[in-house]
Amino acid sequence: MSHGLFCPSFSGQNFKTGLMVGAAFVVMATAAQAQDAQQQTDQTIVFAPISIDAKADVITGGVQIEQEDLDRANPETMRDVFRQEPAVTVSSPISISQQIHVNGVEDTNLAVDIDGARQANKTYHHIGTTIMDPGMLKAVKVETGVAPADAGPNALAGTISLETKDGRDFVAPGDSFGGFGKISFNSNTDGFTEEAAVAGRMGGLDVMAYGMTSDGHAYEDGDGNTVEGSDPASDNLLFKVGYTADNGYRVKFSAQHFDDLAMRPPRPDFDFSGGNPAPTEYRRQNYTLSIGDETPTEMWDPKLSLAYTNTRLDMTTTMNRFNAVAHVEADIQTLNGKASNTFTTDVGKITTGLDFYNDVGKGGRSGYKGTEKASNVGAFVQARTSWTDDLRTSVGTRYDFSRLEGHDNSKNTANGASVNANIEYDITNQFMGYAGAGSTFGGFQLGEIGLARSANTYDGMEASRSTNYKVGLVYEYDKITIDGNTYWTQINDALLLNKSNRADNATIHSRGFNISGSYKYGNGFVRAGFAANNTRINSQYLDGRSADYLGQDMGKSFNLEVAHTIDPYGLTLGTTNQLMLPDESQKGITVSGLDGYFVSNIYAEWYPEMLDGLNLRLDVKNLFDHMYSDRSNVGINSESAATGTIASFYEPGRSFILSARYDF
């Protein structure tokens, strides 16, 4: 198979062996070494700088996951990151086919970025679009529905922003060195995951390098059946370097390489009875340069970013029932940038700027190679204001110019405005109401590059547009917080990216409500949530085979999370649980409707006092070893499931995950 650009041999066995040895060395380092480093800490007080690339806090009703939440989740895949978020679900137990859904709408209809690098990964509809190793995540921010203007173009149903750590997150002020090593073992796959990060800091310069590798066998479901092609086989490298000048200006460069090279099912997002696992190569590279001022003034708070992403897919899909083999190739490159300045006034902040992207996709199936090009230039302004102690608003607009060049050199252009408005009002000391509305211009996007065909036509294409509404209420009293909202999303002319007639489109409707509540006490918390989602395509129930790039109907679910820390022993015990209610309304699609299920996970985490920096953890996932298929998995609501052609993947059975981490 062909290899992607800038793909040296570190993805081979030598890299895996070296990383495993390195991680083991770091984990087993002595406590004395860590204590010696701590004694050298400079006592000078250094205030935390303002990050130049962190996004603004999400609008109330969205999802904001911080470092503490990520540490508690101990995520192996992106599904673990969002496991307790009612509004966000992640499909597929196989990492390279995981697709994120926000209120039932697939992430291809959201603006997605990793460290500011726009993600345009429409390689093949059986492959995920936001594939990532979550080991270095620092923060996750999701705008559900109504998106601010400065979040970027194509935010039809919201935004997903992923931020990774840099050197300053590992090196304390006054220190010059830091990092961690971690080893995890999964009993279900008999596989190991090794991670290690090393960071240094000298004056205004900070550097960080991180590596991860995973391996093992295919997992077994709750009935003990082996799910072929599910072997963990990912590698991830991340390098960051930043420099902060004496005048407050900071320049940062990051480079990330992620790959998944393994035998995968011919359709990695569902169990396809017509073919056997075949060689699959997935590679993604992100490069980002950002510049900003960490000591801004009221009139000068600039941010500039330039990013390049290259995603490559090379796979063979076998189709036994047709006695045929199809070779799928896709190479998608995107160059994108953004320049903005934030003005601070007496009532709040006003951010103005410009952004652009230029996407090029090359590829096809079984010998045909085509090229599509998509570009967009936009201007935006977003005002986040506090008019009184009780009243806050976020209002913005943007205007975009969109262009698509097809395989046949045809050209389609469109331009349009997007507007958004959100309001929060403190009704009493305990109650706060909020509401939002927006109309978003979606423009044109690349089609599915892996299915490029000579028959592609582009006449009559219409730019997509969405309308979003959200209304909610927050209750806070002492240690109790409850947040509930109802939402409605409609996307008109949603592009059917895998159709040969690119003018084909659909209307997506998503409506429902999310409720979450938490009670925090000294050494722990209880958190619960309920979600009800109704997603339809052209007012019809979704068929798992025809809803690609659109969404999934999530139905009704309950979530419960409990955690408690026993301070004298440095021990934390916790559990996460999901109850998915059966859905008989889809009997016409799946014959018997959708089954309900309950899945429970528990964990214990120990920080031994005698060895500072060491963390030992045991996770038990699917505690009761249930045989079930996640509601968001492709094929769960497909009429073809009854004929045996396709079936939704069953989730892993009971899995014991033991991990050891050492921070220095």
Side-chain angles (χ1 to χ4, degrees), residues 139-398:
V140 178
K141 299 179 180 181
V142 180
E143 297 286 4
T144 56
V146 183
D150 55 355
N154 309 134
L156 291 165
T159 69
I160 301 174
S161 180
L162 308 175
E163 182 184 359
T164 61
K165 301 173 186 176
D166 58 27
R168 299 193 302 189
D169 294 305
F170 292 103
V171 184
D175 286 352
S176 58
F177 186 68
F180 78 93
K182 180 180 178 181
I183 298 178
S184 300
F185 172 75
N186 188 321
S187 67
N188 197 321
T189 63
D190 288 328
F192 285 91
T193 298
E194 301 89 30
E195 302 172 64
V198 179
R201 186 172 183 175
M202 180 180 294
L205 180 68
D206 58 274
V207 181
M208 187 277 299
Y210 164 82
M212 180 280 295
T213 185
S214 63
D215 55 26
H217 304 296
Y219 72 78
E220 294 182 352
D221 61 27
D223 281 353
N225 304 309
T226 299
V227 178
E228 298 295 341
S230 64
D231 314 48
S234 297
D235 296 329
N236 184 31
L237 288 178
L238 176 64
F239 173 78
K240 287 190 174 184
V241 57
Y243 178 75
T244 306
D246 293 339
N247 61 4
Y249 278 91
R250 177 169 172 80
V251 179
K252 186 166 72 173
F253 173 78
S254 70
Q256 183 182 35
H257 174 94
F258 176 90
D259 65 37
D260 187 284
L261 313 176
M263 299 289 288
R264 296 298 181 199
R267 309 291 190 270
D269 56 342
F270 57 75
D271 188 3
F272 179 61
S273 63
N276 301 317
T280 300
E281 292 187 4
Y282 174 89
R283 304 178 186 272
R284 190 189 67 242
Q285 301 160 48
N286 286 338
Y287 302 92
T288 305
L289 176 67
S290 58
I291 304 172
D293 188 352
E294 297 192 327
T295 58
T297 65
E298 290 185 350
M299 292 292 104
W300 186 242
D301 183 6
K303 291 183 180 180
L304 177 67
S305 65
L306 185 65
Y308 169 81
T309 298
N310 180 209
T311 303
R312 295 174 64 91
L313 175 70
D314 191 327
M315 69 180 299
T316 301
T317 66
T318 56
M319 294 179 286
N320 293 343
R321 60 194 176 117
F322 300 128
N323 193 27
V325 175
H327 187 207
V328 175
E329 289 185 88
D331 184 328
I332 300 176
Q333 302 179 53
T334 177
L335 179 68
N336 57 93
K338 179 179 178 180
S340 68
N341 186 62
T342 299
F343 304 89
T344 301
T345 70
D346 292 339
V347 295
K349 296 180 180 293
I350 301 174
T351 300
T352 63
L354 300 170
D355 55 33
F356 80 94
Y357 69 75
N358 185 42
D359 298 344
V360 178
K362 299 179 181 179
R365 185 172 65 174
S366 299
Y368 176 78
K369 297 291 179 59
T371 300
E372 280 190 359
K373 299 178 182 180
S375 60
N376 191 92
V377 177
F380 58 84
V381 57
Q382 187 75 25
R384 298 172 173 89
T385 52
S386 296
W387 300 101
T388 69
D389 291 340
D390 299 328
L391 178 63
R392 297 165 297 280
T393 61
S394 178
V395 179
T397 184
R398 62 177 294 127

Side-chain angles (χ1 to χ4, degrees), residues 9-32:
S9 60
F10 53 60
S11 61
Q13 187 61 39
N14 291 337
F15 166 67
K16 295 185 177 183
T17 302
L19 183 57
M20 185 173 184
V21 172
F25 175 79
V26 173
V27 171
M28 298 306 296
T30 63

Side-chain angles (χ1 to χ4, degrees), residues 90-130:
V90 182
S91 67
S92 183
I94 300 177
S95 60
I96 69 162
S97 56
Q98 289 186 339
Q99 298 163 334
I100 301 175
H101 298 85
V102 176
N103 289 337
V105 181
E106 189 177 316
D107 53 6
T108 45
N109 296 286
L110 287 81
V112 182
D113 74 87
I114 300 175
D115 286 336
R118 176 178 176 272
Q119 301 300 295
N121 303 333
K122 304 172 188 69
T123 56
Y124 189 41
H125 64 275
H126 300 291
I127 301 294
T129 49
T130 311

Side-chain angles (χ1 to χ4, degrees), residues 611-622:
L611 194 55
D612 188 29
L614 180 65
N615 167 230
L616 302 175
R617 175 165 171 145
L618 173 64
D619 287 84
V620 184
K621 296 187 177 181
N622 194 357

